[in-house]
Amino acid sequence: MSSTPRGVALGRALRQLRRERGMSLRELGERIDRDFPTLSRWESGERVPKPQHVAQILALLGVEGDGFRRVMRLGEDLDQTCWVASAGAELGIQRDAYLAVSATAVHVTEVASRVVPPLLRTRQVATVMARAGEVPADQVDAHLAGLFARQRAVLHQESTSLTVLVGADALGRSMGRTESQVAQLERLLRLAEHPRIDLRVTPADGSPDFSQPFTVTRTPHATLAVLHLRGSTVWLHRPEDLDRLTEDVEFLRANASSPADSVAEITEVLRAHGTADLVQAG
């Protein structure tokens, strides 16, 4: 079976357990009579092993009890239309998979009409939004740790390009104290100058409208989408769902301001805060 969100999470879990046991991929292959390329595709999420192969690997690695059941559960319902997580354990599994996908991303597209996209948030703004109910209260710290790890993975690796479509409404939205909002807007301006980032502002009256942000991540092996809903996340992988999101992205990008005009719009919002001396128009 080809890559799915749960398949990516399963591959990451198997790779992590193997490394914790100090076993090389070739040694594992010899022990279970599987070739190196097959095991590599399993761990990358490009292909998904059958349940009996997962059980064989876990038994060889000495994984038992809750750990065994947790990994085996990832191999269930792999072809479901979406993967929804709202409870702590499932959200944790999704976060691990999300980081794994981000670390191998070729291109990431972030869309948000009313909030700053997660990958571009400052630590202060991300914390304010998480504590305001964006994620369950008991998941705030884990959510922030996962978000900042994804930011480092995407923004710091030269093999990844990033397209950001941020709504004009998001620029003027309260993001905590004034200094936090100013710092966030200044960060957007800095990132807009990054050679691998295409940042554009979409009009406030644009259509379609997304009250919640979403991310489309393309890796060498798969394209996956994540809808960031309040209190939960939904992963999509079916071609028809991805095609619809791609159409939405293309529409928004076609109606968005140019990169230079987007910088000017962000600068104008900063001027409204009396900080024109802190920035320069693009």
Side-chain angles (χ1 to χ4, degrees):
M1 180 179 293
S2 59
S3 183
T4 69
R6 295 180 75 93
V8 171
L10 175 60
R12 178 179 173 82
L14 293 175
R15 181 172 66 251
Q16 181 175 343
L17 288 168
R18 175 181 59 79
R19 290 177 174 175
E20 288 175 355
R21 269 61 173 183
M23 185 178 294
S24 70
L25 203 59
R26 293 192 182 279
E27 181 182 358
L28 176 62
E30 292 173 358
R31 299 284 294 275
I32 66 172
D33 194 25
R34 292 287 160 179
D35 58 71
F36 182 92
T38 296
L39 294 178
S40 180
R41 286 191 288 269
W42 286 354
E43 290 194 354
S44 70
E46 182 182 356
R47 293 289 176 181
V48 180
K50 295 179 179 179
Q52 61 266 33
H53 295 144
V54 177
Q56 183 183 15
I57 293 172
L58 295 179
L60 178 62
L61 297 176
V63 180
E64 301 176 338
D66 289 341
F68 182 92
R69 288 187 288 272
R70 178 174 180 268
V71 175
M72 289 299 297
R73 193 170 73 246
L74 287 173
E76 301 172 355
D77 300 324
L78 288 169
D79 58 351
Q80 60 186 325
T81 58
C82 62
W83 179 15
V84 182
S86 57
E90 198 77 359
L91 283 169
I93 294 172
Q94 274 198 351
R95 276 192 297 270
D96 289 344
Y98 204 178
L99 180 57
V101 170
S102 300
T104 60
V106 174
H107 186 83
V108 177
T109 301
E110 288 241 313
V111 175
S113 62
R114 300 181 183 176
V115 296
V116 174
L119 280 178
L120 302 192
R121 292 176 187 172
T122 63
R123 184 173 295 270
Q124 292 82 0
V125 167
T127 301
V128 166
M129 299 191 71
R131 290 177 176 171
E134 191 173 64
V135 297
D138 64 342
Q139 294 291 307
V140 169
D141 290 343
H143 165 78
L144 292 173
L147 172 58
F148 300 142
R150 284 195 297 109
Q151 287 183 351
R152 291 190 294 271
V154 172
L155 298 178
H156 295 169
Q157 57 193 13
E158 295 183 359
S159 59
T160 306
S161 58
L162 177 63
T163 296
V164 180
L165 300 172
V166 55
D169 285 342
L171 303 179
R173 179 176 177 176
S174 175
M175 295 176 265
R177 302 172 65 178
T178 300
E179 54 265 37
S180 295
Q181 189 157 2
V182 167
Q184 177 63 80
L185 294 170
E186 289 177 334
R187 185 169 198 242
L188 292 180
L189 285 177
R190 290 194 298 273
L191 291 174
E193 298 177 353
H194 196 290
R196 290 186 286 103
I197 298 177
D198 180 12
L199 188 154
R200 299 170 185 261
V201 175
T202 60
D205 58 351
S207 179
D209 173 53
F210 297 97
S211 59
Q212 300 293 337
F214 71 85
T215 305
V216 179
T217 303
R218 180 165 55 87
T219 75
H221 305 305
T223 298
L224 305 170
V226 176
L227 309 184
H228 304 276
L229 307 180
R230 187 175 179 85
S232 64
T233 54
V234 179
W235 283 49
L236 305 173
H237 67 95
R238 295 191 309 171
E240 54 265 42
D241 293 326
L242 297 175
D243 288 345
R244 282 193 290 271
L245 288 177
T246 298
E247 290 175 1
D248 292 338
V249 168
E250 291 175 351
F251 176 90
L252 289 170
R253 194 174 188 279
N255 289 276
S257 301
S258 68
D261 287 343
S262 296
V263 167
E265 290 182 46
I266 298 171
T267 301
E268 188 61 32
V269 177
L270 273 169
R271 285 201 178 98
H273 288 286
T275 59
D277 58 320
L278 299 180
V279 297
Q280 296 180 349

